[in-house]
Amino acid sequence: PPVASWKLWHHPISALPSSPSGVLRPLLPSKLATAAAQQLDELLDDLGHMQNKLVAVGGGAVESSEPKPSLDNMLGSLTRDLQELGITATPAGICAACCKPIAAKALTALGKTWHPEHFTCARCGDELGSRPFFERDRQAYCEEDYHQAFSPRCAYCASPIREVSSPCPTQCCPPPATSPCLLLQKVLTALDQTWHPEHFFCTHCGKMFGDDGFHERNGKPYCRQDFLAIFAPKCQGCERPVTDNYLSALQGVWHAECFVCTECLSSFDGGSFFELDGQPYCELHFHQRQGNICHGCGHPVTGRCITAAERKYHPEHFICAYCLGQLQKGTFHEHGNKMYCQACHAKLFL
């Protein structure tokens, strides 16, 4: 069952080898029969180990010209000799691996009996002996091979998320409540993958994720700050990331509060603006930058224009500075940056 936000999995740890379920049972209570049964146990155990070593060595040994008696024949001869002494040997069971009787120590696991040397890891073949083992599909595995084959893997380090023995935090184990229980290490599931919690951090800055959670890009997690700094569009005005309430203009995006006249920083009433060198301007400062301001009224000249003394005028503002009569081009005089008609200029300055 899940605990908090982590997944909690239980895997049964199989029992260790039990005591022999069957040994030689002497029928005669004499000391000689008891000693003979004990010697037979030890001899059969030694012969079993010897046979395994011979099988492992295989063809490495030098064969002699004389035929060697098989282990079965040797055991048969010993059994007949013991029977002549009135001792009957009862096998402890049939080994699930080699299908032969178990005359010495027997190991019980997975609901079957085994020669101890035949109870091995299904993956690497190492003897499990008295070591704890893991069971999967009625097969036994050593700890390392079980994790390599079946445990979920961390998407960051690719190593298995191993099982550890720790006190059981639930009521699944019998009392006492601190009984060891195989628990899967804390595993975090995100982006359709599994992670060690300590390996799930921002791809860019390496910090663990806080209350803001994380953002995903191309299958990688990022903190909010780095995600916006790397992938979010930038405001043309302040160059900070734009997340919401933005305007699109001049081939870019803008915060609403950043889309103002570059010169006076005033917002654009009515939504109209003028563009110059990729920057927005209000009408006044656009024409000012263009040199289209009337020298008479100080407002932009948008229609007919009169240029005189390198200055521009609205036609109605091109007047004599003294009599205010409208001037005609070619019939005025300039004095002190002001324009005068011929009569006023002669009256005042001649």
Side-chain angles (χ1 to χ4, degrees):
V3 174
S5 61
W6 306 106
K7 291 185 178 179
L8 181 65
W9 296 351
H10 290 263
H11 292 266
I13 180 168
S14 301
L16 298 179
S18 63
S19 58
S21 59
V23 296
L24 294 177
R25 302 175 183 175
L27 300 179
L28 298 177
S30 65
K31 293 183 179 180
L32 176 61
T34 302
Q38 184 176 359
Q39 292 175 6
L40 176 61
D41 273 346
E42 295 175 355
L43 179 59
L44 293 177
D45 194 18
D46 292 339
L47 288 174
H49 284 292
M50 183 183 298
Q51 185 184 37
N52 288 336
K53 292 180 179 179
L54 291 175
V55 172
V57 172
V62 179
E63 297 183 359
S64 62
S65 58
E66 297 181 1
K68 294 182 178 180
S70 66
L71 180 60
D72 290 340
N73 294 334
M74 296 170 66
L75 292 176
S77 299
L78 287 172
T79 302
R80 286 192 298 272
D81 293 340
L82 289 173
Q83 287 176 350
E84 292 177 359
L85 295 174
I87 300 174
T88 303
T90 303
I94 302 300
C95 177
C98 67
C99 299
K100 293 183 179 181
I102 303 173
K105 294 179 181 179
L107 185 150
T108 301
L110 304 181
K112 302 177 182 179
T113 54
W114 314 72
H115 289 111
E117 63 274 13
H118 290 169
F119 186 62
T120 59
C121 173
R123 187 180 177 96
C124 67
D126 289 346
E127 290 186 22
L128 296 176
S130 60
R131 298 157 50 191
F133 64 93
F134 295 81
E135 182 268 339
R136 180 81 173 216
D137 297 331
R138 304 301 297 166
Q139 289 185 310
Y141 296 86
C142 64
E143 181 179 2
E144 181 64 25
D145 286 335
Y146 178 83
H147 289 308
Q148 291 294 335
F150 304 112
S151 291
R153 293 184 175 272
C154 175
Y156 175 77
C157 66
S159 62
I161 303 176
R162 294 177 174 269
E163 292 162 340
V164 293
S165 181
S166 62
C168 181
T170 66
Q171 302 299 321
C172 68
C173 295
T178 57
S179 298
C181 182
L182 278 181
L183 304 176
L184 193 64
Q185 287 178 328
K186 288 182 178 178
V187 55
L188 188 151
T189 301
L191 306 179
D192 297 326
Q193 301 180 87
T194 53
W195 313 71
H196 289 112
E198 65 273 15
H199 289 165
F200 190 65
F201 44 73
C202 177
T203 302
H204 185 71
C205 68
K207 294 180 180 178
M208 304 298 291
F209 299 115
D211 296 336
D212 290 340
F214 67 93
H215 296 263
E216 179 270 339
R217 184 71 173 228
N218 298 329
K220 296 180 180 180
Y222 295 86
C223 65
R224 177 179 174 82
Q225 180 178 354
D226 287 337
F227 180 83
L228 295 179
I230 298 173
F231 302 110
K234 305 300 186 294
C235 174
Q236 295 282 86
C238 65
E239 297 184 355
R240 291 184 290 111
V242 175
T243 57
D244 54 10
N245 297 329
Y246 66 91
L247 299 174
S248 179
L250 303 179
Q251 298 181 349
V253 293
W254 307 71
H255 293 114
E257 62 274 16
C258 294
F259 192 62
V260 294
C261 174
T262 304
E263 189 72 27
C264 64
L265 303 182
S266 60
S267 58
F268 302 112
D269 296 332
S272 61
F273 65 93
F274 294 81
E275 183 267 338
L276 183 64
D277 297 330
Q279 297 296 320
Y281 289 87
C282 63
E283 183 179 13
L284 173 63
H285 290 101
F286 172 77
H287 288 290
Q288 191 177 70
R289 285 293 184 98
Q290 295 287 81
N292 294 332
I293 300 298
C294 176
H295 188 71
C297 68
H299 289 85
V301 179
T302 58
R304 293 179 58 239
C305 175
I306 295 178
T307 301
E310 298 182 353
R311 293 189 290 268
K312 294 183 178 181
Y313 297 85
H314 291 109
E316 62 273 19
H317 294 155
F318 188 57
I319 58 177
C320 174
Y322 185 74
C323 68
L324 303 181
Q326 190 166 0
L327 301 174
Q328 300 296 325
K329 192 172 183 180
T331 62
F332 64 90
H333 296 272
E334 179 183 5
H335 188 86
N337 291 330
K338 293 183 179 180
M339 300 298 174
Y340 297 90
C341 62
Q342 288 184 354
C344 293
H345 182 267
K347 184 190 301 184
L348 295 174
F349 305 111
L350 295 180

